[in-house]
Structure formats: structure tokens, C-alpha cells
Amino acid sequence: MQKLQVAAAKEKTTSSERKIMIGLEIHGYLNMENGAKLFCNCAIDPSAEPNTTICPVCTGQPGSKPMLPNKQAIDKIIAIAAILDCRINERLIFQRKHYSWPDMPTGYQRTMSGSYSVPVGQEGSFLGIGIEEVHLEEDPARWDPETGAVDYNRSGYPLVEIVTKPDFNSAGEVRQWLRRLVTTLSYIKAINPELGIKSDVNVSVAPEFGRVEIKNVNSFRSIVRAIEYETLRQQREVKEGKKVAMETRAWRDSEGTSVFMRQKETAVDYMFIPDPDLPAVKVTAAEIKKIAEKLPEKPAAKIRKYVEKWKIDHVDAEVLSSEILLAELFEKVAVVVNPVLAAKWLRRELLRVLNYNKKELEEAKLDERHIIQLLKLVESRKITDETAKGILEKLVEKPFDVEEYVRKNKLFAVAEANVLEKYCEEAIAENPAAVADYKAGKEKALNFIVGAVMRKSKGKATPQQVAEILKQLIK
Ligand code: ADP
Ligand code: MG
Ligand code: ZN
């Protein structure tokens, strides 16, 4: 007995010793409603011709000084830190991170990270993964090493960096978490969706080996591939008895491999100093509180509510919470109409119609009162699903009073059995061949006659209802 326990304990330590650890440094472009860069008033416009949204500040001209940091960027970054449950610091300092590279005309990047820095947020957590820090920094220019050309448009775009603890254990876990992070950040419109995110990926397969950092992995797919590749590479080195060195590698997306870049630099190499051009940004506790209070309920909490309280299928709950506008519409409808019915209609039908019309929910300008009217009519079976689908298609184009529309166009379902029966008798008389087929055992022939009745009722009967009556009549 004791022996077994010892063996089990031993096994546990070896497996945890061999545990894969993954940490991310995620960079996202802040979504600035005022459209301006961090330290100047140049526009954030990713589609602009090269070097057209620039000024002496963002091209680092000698003697130029940065403007005070864009207030919106500060507010956004605090909101991000808050939604990731970070402790938020009240005195924020920009540091100069020195390096010599063609994308950085000043020779330093202004960042709130670094050896003496105070990041915006610290010690947070998101869906079980620790958040080491959240900070703000400026983006460098874009340098093309082939031609040597530099495009300064991007220089000075405000970036958020979210550094996680090395709490991930697999590529799959990272993928799922990142999707949820992006959804959550979209609730507060934090990241510019046009520009997306990029990430540095840190991997170590055993604590006695150094972590390897892979730079600039630019899509979800590449992040997952880079982690898978790096894990296997390190495991192979370990098997061969080599020691995995702490190093920085570059991801080669087209080849699906990483290549050695340099030995890991330490913080000292960057010669961080506080930027003398920029005063400390003071954030009061009251301001932090105000931003935190305005945060929406997070997708994860919504999913829990939908599944546990409203008995919605988990996958439907994920879809409904994937967009804040959809989630909010659903919640307004679900308090007056059966939530399961509401979920089915919004998740399946509404998304289908929007998709067909290549429209975003935001563009459709749906009024929840109309959706409620519609689904109440469906719920009480006053209109058929077919009729409701037709109305939904029209509602996506322009708003109108649904009850009035149904009344005016006489779209109430044919509930009276005698009217339906009359249609069924007519359809049987008109389609002798199908009737004969059905009698001969061809179940499918019934659908044909159901279709004929549906046309007569102009879609106001339900196919199930019609099939029942037909079966009674054809015997
Ligand atoms: P640097 O700028 O030197 O890369 P950061 O603090 O910005 O340092 O980032 C460190 C990253 O490395 C974090 O994402 C952290 O989770 C990750 N990390 C730290 N230790 C390990 C480890 N043993 N294995 C994998 N990742 C690690
Ligand atoms: Mg790094
Ligand atoms: Zn500028």
C-alpha cells in the first residue's frame, strides 16, 4: 500500500517536472475612436499610402517632442486591465526602451514596460490563466529588409501588450483561450479588428531548461503551429541529451519552422530609462472605479447564465455570447419569450438571414421590440415558422411593427382544422399519382402532397399539422 503511494507520488513529480509551460506576450492595436496615434495627432489608417500619415513626432525628427499621450489610449488600456481582473496602478511612467533598428528612428521605443516601469495592470487573471501585466507602448515603423524601405504610418500606433503567466500546457488550450480573450476584448471595443493581434510565444518543456521565445507570430493558426513545432523541437533536444538554451527564435510561417535569432537578451541590454519628455500619467482611484463600473458582463459569465439559468445548449450559448450586440439582443428577448425558443431563433435564423444578406448585426438596426413581437407570435403558434422566417428576412432590411404587418397581410396561421382539411382534400384529388405512390409504401411521396397543401395555405400551416391530416385522409 505504502509502496504504491510512493510510486504514485513519484510518477506525479516526474510528470509535473516534464510539464510543458507556455506563456504569451500578446500585442494588439488599440481601437481608437478618435482615430489618432499615441503621441501625435496623425491618423490611424492602415489602408493609407506609405508615409502619408506622418509628422515630425512619429518620424522621430531631431528636436521633435511627443504630445501628451492620447487620453483615449489610457482609458482603453485601463479598461483592458480591469476586464482582465488586474490590479491597476495609479502612477504610470513611460520608459525609453533603447535599441538600434531601422524601424525605430529615435533609437528607443516609448513603453510602460521595462525594468523600473509600473505597468498599467498587474496580477490579473482570465479564464484560469494568470495575467502578469498589461501595458501600453508605441508601435515601431514598418521596415522592409528586402528593399530597406521604411513606412512610418504605423509608427506611434498605440499598442496594448498583455503578458500571461506561463500557465498554458498545450497549443489547443492557447487557441481556445485566445479566441475567448479576443471575444471579451471585443465587448469593450478594445482592439482594432482590422489590425488584429500578434504574439510572442514562450515555450519550455521542462523547468530545468530555459524558455525559448518565438518572436512575432501573427495569426491564431501560426501561434498554434509555432507552439506545436517548438514543443516537439525541444522534446527532441531533451531526448538527445542536449540542454535547451534560453534563446530567441524567429517564426518562419511559410516553412512552419522556427530559426535561431539570438541568445536571450536581458533587460539591461535595453538600457531602460524613464522618458524625460513625458510626465507620469496619474490615474485616480475614482477614475479607475468609473471605468471598471462601466465594464459589461463578460462572455464567460453570460455563457454560465444562459446554460445554467436559461437551459440553453452550450454551443448555442457560445455563439450567442460571441458578439455583445447579439448577446444583449438575446437577453432582452429571453426575459419575455421562452429563452430556448429565443436562442433557437436568434442563433440559427437571425444569423442565417444576416449571413445571407452579408450584413452585420450592427448594420441591421434591429429593434428588439419587433423581435419580441415576432417570437411571441411564434410562441403562441399564431404564425407558422415559415411566416416568421419571411418576416425576419424583412425586418433585417427595415424595422416595422410586426403585429400590424401580420394583421394587414392576413398571415395568421390557419389553425381551424376544417380549412386545412379542405386544402388537403383538394391536394389529394389533384395529385393521384403521389397518393398512389404513398399508398404503395413510398413515404417520400407524402412530402410532395404536403408541399401542395402548404402552397394552398400560403405557408400558414405547419408541415407537421398537414402531414397528420393527410395521413388520416389517405387510408
Ligand atoms: P521578455 O520581454 O524578456 O520576453 P516578459 O516578462 O515580457 O519578458 O515575458 C516573459 C514571458 O515568458 C511571459 O509570457 C511568461 O509567461 C513566459 N515565461 C516565463 N517563464 C517561462 C517558462 N519557464 N516557460 C515558458 N514561458 C515562460
Ligand atoms: Mg518578450
Ligand atoms: Zn505623427
Side-chain angles (χ1 to χ4, degrees):
M1 181 66 193
Q2 223 175 9
K3 248 188 192 164
L4 265 180
Q5 269 174 357
V6 173
K10 215 169 164 189
E11 200 170 278
K12 218 171 157 203
T13 34
T14 31
S15 72
S16 71
E17 261 168 26
R18 292 272 164 239
K19 211 168 75 173
I20 298 164
M21 284 163 81
I22 304 158
L24 303 177
E25 296 158 72
I26 306 153
H27 293 89
Y29 287 96
L30 290 182
N31 183 33
M32 305 298 294
E33 278 93 10
N34 64 13
K37 293 186 183 182
L38 189 51
F39 298 115
C40 60
N41 279 331
C42 290
I44 294 176
D45 179 3
S47 58
E49 289 292 310
N51 294 311
T52 53
T53 54
I54 54 172
C55 74
V57 175
C58 53
T59 52
Q61 301 295 307
S64 70
K65 295 278 177 218
M67 291 170 60
L68 287 178
N70 189 331
K71 174 79 167 59
Q72 261 186 21
I74 306 283
D75 288 349
K76 278 267 144 99
I77 204 101
I78 293 174
I80 295 172
I83 209 163
L84 299 178
D85 289 338
C86 289
R87 174 168 64 75
I88 293 162
N89 291 306
E90 295 181 15
R91 194 165 176 277
L92 312 172
I93 297 157
F94 278 103
Q95 306 262 336
R96 290 181 175 183
K97 178 178 180 176
H98 293 88
Y99 67 88
S100 177
W101 203 248
D103 65 7
M104 195 42 90
T106 48
Y108 56 82
Q109 181 186 23
R110 300 175 187 100
T111 170
M112 283 182 175
S113 72
S115 17
Y116 314 104
S117 76
V118 185
V120 181
Q122 277 172 299
E123 298 160 20
S125 91
F126 180 71
L127 298 175
I129 300 296
I131 304 292
E132 210 158 282
E133 65 171 75
V134 171
H135 66 251
L136 175 65
E137 60 192 32
E138 63 175 341
D139 202 25
R142 186 198 300 272
W143 175 56
D144 182 344
E146 305 262 304
T147 62
V150 181
D151 174 9
Y152 291 94
N153 284 355
R154 218 174 62 178
S155 168
Y157 279 15
L159 279 177
V160 54
E161 180 171 356
I162 300 170
V163 182
T164 78
K165 295 240 185 287
D167 289 347
F168 300 99
N169 304 123
S170 73
E173 194 188 346
V174 168
R175 173 173 36 206
Q176 206 182 35
W177 186 89
L178 270 180
R179 288 213 182 289
R180 297 194 164 141
L181 176 75
V182 169
T183 301
T184 300
L185 295 181
S186 79
Y187 271 36
I188 51 171
K189 293 195 164 54
I191 306 287
N192 184 328
E194 245 180 294
L195 293 165
I197 60 161
K198 52 189 177 181
S199 185
D200 297 344
V201 175
N202 297 272
V203 180
S204 63
V205 296
E208 66 269 34
F209 302 112
R211 79 170 145 115
V212 171
E213 177 177 24
I214 307 163
K215 282 282 186 197
N216 270 324
V217 198
N218 285 344
S219 68
F220 278 27
R221 200 171 142 259
S222 306
I223 290 169
V224 170
R225 282 171 72 210
I227 294 170
E228 282 168 349
Y229 173 86
E230 185 55 28
T231 310
L232 286 174
R233 191 191 68 83
Q234 289 188 24
Q235 282 168 339
R236 202 175 47 233
E237 302 251 299
V238 171
K239 223 184 237 158
E240 287 168 6
K242 293 187 194 150
K243 201 165 159 14
V244 178
M246 188 155 161
E247 64 184 37
T248 302
R249 300 177 72 86
W251 177 245
R252 291 269 164 85
D253 204 45
S254 53
E255 294 142 42
T257 57
S258 67
V259 291
F260 177 80
M261 247 171 104
R262 54 177 182 256
Q263 293 298 323
K264 180 76 188 135
E265 70 284 335
T266 53
V268 180
D269 296 333
Y270 288 125
M271 300 172 289
F272 281 104
I273 54 157
D275 193 319
D277 290 337
L278 289 161
V281 179
K282 291 203 180 95
V283 194
T284 66
E287 278 170 313
I288 295 172
K289 194 161 165 250
K290 214 168 112 199
I291 290 175
E293 275 169 1
K294 270 203 274 174
L295 292 178
E297 182 180 38
K298 282 184 252 185
K302 289 196 184 298
I303 292 173
R304 217 174 307 124
K305 179 168 72 185
Y306 299 172
V307 172
E308 286 169 15
K309 228 170 112 190
W310 294 346
K311 310 294 171 218
I312 307 298
D313 172 80
H314 201 278
V315 177
D316 288 352
E318 293 247 1
V319 175
L320 288 166
S321 64
S322 65
E323 235 186 284
I324 190 165
L325 278 181
L326 183 61
E328 285 176 350
L329 176 64
F330 169 63
E331 291 182 20
K332 283 177 192 148
V333 177
V335 288
V336 277
V337 177
N338 177 317
V340 176
L341 179 94
K344 175 185 156 235
W345 277 84
L346 295 184
R347 192 248 132 122
R348 296 188 198 283
E349 291 310 320
L350 177 61
L351 293 189
R352 178 185 61 80
V353 174
L354 287 171
N355 199 18
Y356 182 78
N357 289 291
K358 298 197 170 47
K359 257 192 185 171
E360 295 293 330
L361 186 54
E362 205 167 345
E363 301 165 277
K365 306 239 178 324
L366 281 175
D367 185 329
E368 76 262 8
R369 282 173 311 172
H370 299 149
I371 300 287
I372 289 170
Q373 284 183 320
L374 180 73
L375 295 188
K376 276 193 161 168
L377 289 168
V378 173
E379 195 175 31
S380 59
R381 293 179 193 280
K382 289 203 176 104
I383 59 173
T384 64
D385 287 5
E386 284 314 306
T387 305
K389 282 178 196 173
I391 295 175
L392 193 58
E393 281 161 19
K394 293 203 162 61
L395 271 182
V396 166
E397 282 161 26
K398 67 171 194 329
F400 56 85
D401 187 289
V402 174
E403 274 171 25
E404 195 182 298
Y405 180 84
V406 169
R407 216 176 311 118
K408 260 198 187 146
N409 294 281
K410 302 195 175 52
L411 293 175
F412 287 109
V414 183
E416 308 92 78
N418 56 346
V419 180
L420 265 191
E421 242 176 77
K422 192 179 125 256
Y423 291 152
C424 287
E425 277 162 2
E426 284 172 20
I428 289 170
E430 287 158 13
N431 298 285
V435 174
D437 281 351
Y438 177 66
K439 278 187 175 163
K442 283 191 193 157
E443 289 283 331
K444 276 193 181 152
L446 190 70
N447 295 343
F448 183 78
I449 317 171
V450 170
V453 178
M454 293 298 288
R455 276 192 296 281
K456 285 174 187 291
S457 80
K458 302 202 168 60
K460 289 185 282 179
T462 70
Q464 295 87 333
Q465 237 182 332
V466 173
E468 289 292 306
I469 299 173
L470 283 174
K471 280 183 193 164
Q472 296 288 328
L473 291 174
I474 313 173
K475 259 191 181 159

